[in-house]
Amino acid sequence: LSLAFLSGLGILISGIISFEQFSQVSLEDAFNGMVTITNLTAFWQLFLSAVTLIVLSMCVFREKKQSSLEFYSLIIGILLGVHVLVMSSNFLMLYFSLELVSLSSYAITFFAFNKQPSESSLKYLLFGAAASAIMLYGLSLLFAITGTLDFTGQAFIDNMLAANPIPVIVASILVLSGFLFKISAFPFHLWVPDVYETAPTPVVAYFSVVPKIGGIAILIKVVLTLNLFGQAPINWGILLAVLSMLTIAVGNLSALFQFNIKRLLAYSAIAQTGFMLAGLAAFSETSLVNVIFYSCIYTVAGIGAFMIVHFFERRHGKMEISSLAGVVNSYPYLSILLLVMMVSLTGLPPTAGFTAKFLIFSSIWESYTYNNNGWLLALLAFGLVITVVALFYYLKIPYYMI
């Protein structure tokens, strides 16, 4: 408890500092321009610190108490990495902060202390190492092309516009591949179900949200830069639309056949990433604001679902969906709350999840009417249809509970 208290106190102080920055800072560079502090970065830091405090409350009641010092250190390591990540305006700082998040995440998945998590963690580590190497190579190509690591500077934009389009395309795709792993998007999602199933539930709740939201936050900044004000040799709108549809399809269709709650939520998390990419594909100021809103609503619903699942897991052991049969009789309020979380993740009214998904679809439609991009219309239609499909697995859990 003392370790949890000290960790929580440190995170609370960090949150207070972020709140002060949010209320005062408009734009400020630090560390020779390697990081940029804005109101938005302060908001992300404040929000993710609050999420970490909630997850710490779950960790206090873990039944396995071994190596608690290392456990809380890794939690704080992930949060530190994400804090620096959302502020990064230099590729070197971006990569270091991503690796801090990744290495801490690899280690923390071992904390169930048995063989099965070790195997899934090894898979996670191998996928992550490959993705990091690919991304690092892409970043080195961008540095060779532009001569600068500051991806927010005018020199970076000018040199990208003047460069040969082929190496620019190759470097951009390699960098994007690294980000797709960090946010568990297609085709770098294969590690997600195994890790979610075997890792401790508080750990899964944490890195299913915090590293992903941090990755989305920095991906927005990087993609807007690589788009080069619409003059990039890659049509980022089409590329992100295709990746979004594939990610949504894999997540939702795979979840239909899952009977373990944590694996189901793993595929759900993949699908939710697809909807965030869908909002990013619209490339408008409104759509980017809506992606931020969607990320926050997904975080609240996802953390809430995992907290309730953790409660039932401590009482029923292995979390097969069938093990929840009839729990509404014993825990009516928790059952109703989990139903609300599932409905919100589906995107049905009157929950905030409906509002978030509606705003994403509205952004796509608005962008389509402005740009007349057929891929955006296909993305909108596909997203609406697949949301109906999602009902069949999200409501599977409340069905068994009731």
Side-chain angles (χ1 to χ4, degrees):
L1 287 176
S2 59
L3 287 172
F5 174 77
L6 289 174
S7 302
L9 181 62
I11 294 168
L12 183 61
I13 294 172
S14 170
I16 293 172
I17 294 172
S18 298
F19 180 77
E20 290 293 324
Q21 291 176 338
F22 179 73
S23 58
Q24 296 177 6
V25 173
S26 55
L27 180 65
E28 182 178 326
D29 291 332
F31 298 106
N32 292 322
M34 296 188 75
V35 299
T36 303
I37 305 169
T38 65
N39 297 102
L40 181 58
T41 61
F43 166 77
W44 284 124
Q45 291 170 340
L46 178 61
F47 180 71
L48 294 174
S49 295
V51 171
T52 305
L53 285 175
I54 294 172
V55 173
L56 276 182
S57 68
M58 297 171 62
C59 297
V60 168
F61 301 104
R62 287 187 310 125
E63 295 175 0
K64 304 273 186 184
K65 297 297 182 184
Q66 301 99 316
S67 304
S68 293
L69 177 60
E70 291 84 353
F71 183 85
Y72 290 115
S73 298
L74 291 171
I75 288 281
I76 294 174
I78 293 174
L79 183 63
L80 172 62
V82 173
H83 273 217
V84 178
L85 179 63
V86 298
M87 295 189 297
S88 298
S89 55
N90 182 286
F91 279 136
L92 189 61
M93 184 65 75
L94 183 153
Y95 184 76
F96 281 158
S97 56
L98 267 179
E99 286 308 292
L100 176 58
V101 173
S102 298
L103 292 173
S104 300
S105 298
Y106 303 150
I108 207 170
T109 56
F110 282 93
F111 272 85
F113 299 99
N114 55 54
K115 183 180 179 181
Q116 195 176 13
S118 301
E119 294 173 352
S120 60
S121 298
L122 181 60
K123 180 186 293 186
Y124 184 26
L125 173 61
L126 293 176
F127 270 100
S132 296
I134 291 170
M135 185 179 191
L136 184 60
Y137 184 52
L139 294 176
S140 68
L141 287 178
L142 287 178
F143 176 67
I145 292 168
T146 62
T148 178
L149 291 171
D150 181 10
F151 62 88
T152 60
Q154 188 60 43
F156 180 86
I157 303 293
D158 294 338
N159 291 332
M160 286 281 281
L161 289 171
N164 189 307
I166 294 179
V168 170
I169 292 172
V170 172
S172 299
I173 291 176
L174 291 176
V175 171
L176 179 63
S177 298
F179 280 114
L180 293 179
F181 171 82
K182 305 304 178 186
I183 62 175
S184 62
F186 179 89
F188 299 94
H189 65 283
L190 301 176
W191 57 272
V192 178
D194 291 337
V195 172
Y196 273 49
E197 182 181 8
T198 58
T201 303
V203 170
V204 175
Y206 188 61
F207 70 71
S208 70
V209 171
V210 173
K212 175 179 291 189
I213 299 303
I216 289 290
I218 191 64
L219 179 61
I220 292 173
K221 187 189 296 187
V222 171
V223 168
L224 286 176
T225 302
L226 295 180
N227 191 44
L228 303 176
F229 306 105
Q231 301 180 60
I234 302 178
N235 190 322
W236 283 95
I238 294 177
L239 178 60
L240 290 174
V242 172
L243 287 172
S244 171
M245 286 189 283
L246 291 171
T247 303
I248 293 171
V250 168
N252 282 304
L253 296 178
S254 299
L256 288 173
F257 306 100
Q258 303 305 315
F259 298 97
N260 181 281
I261 295 178
K262 290 168 73 174
R263 287 186 73 89
L264 187 149
L265 290 176
Y267 283 111
S268 163
I270 294 170
Q272 300 296 341
T273 299
F275 283 107
M276 296 178 203
L277 289 175
L280 185 55
F283 271 104
S284 68
E285 185 176 350
T286 304
S287 69
L288 297 180
V289 173
N290 291 338
V291 169
I292 294 171
F293 179 72
Y294 190 99
S295 302
C296 295
I297 297 303
Y298 158 72
T299 299
V300 173
I303 288 290
F306 274 113
M307 289 183 73
I308 299 171
V309 167
H310 181 54
F311 175 84
F312 287 131
E313 184 181 34
R314 295 180 67 221
R315 283 156 176 76
H316 297 278
K318 190 175 182 181
M319 285 308 296
E320 300 297 323
I321 297 176
S322 58
S323 66
L324 294 181
V327 297
V328 70
N329 298 315
S330 304
Y331 307 100
Y333 298 112
L334 277 179
S335 300
I336 293 171
L337 187 57
L338 185 56
L339 171 62
V340 172
M341 297 302 173
M342 293 295 104
V343 170
S344 184
L345 288 171
T346 307
L348 294 180
T351 61
F354 168 76
T355 305
K357 201 160 282 188
F358 176 78
L359 290 174
I360 290 291
F361 289 147
S362 300
S363 300
I364 297 171
W365 175 254
E366 179 184 349
S367 184
Y368 166 71
T369 56
Y370 181 76
N371 298 317
N372 200 29
N373 185 341
W375 284 99
L376 290 177
L377 182 61
L379 175 59
L380 176 61
F382 183 80
L384 290 170
V385 170
I386 208 73
T387 298
V388 177
V389 174
L391 277 172
F392 289 93
Y393 70 86
Y394 276 123
L395 298 185
K396 186 189 298 185
I397 296 175
Y399 171 79
Y400 274 92
M401 292 170 65
I402 298 170

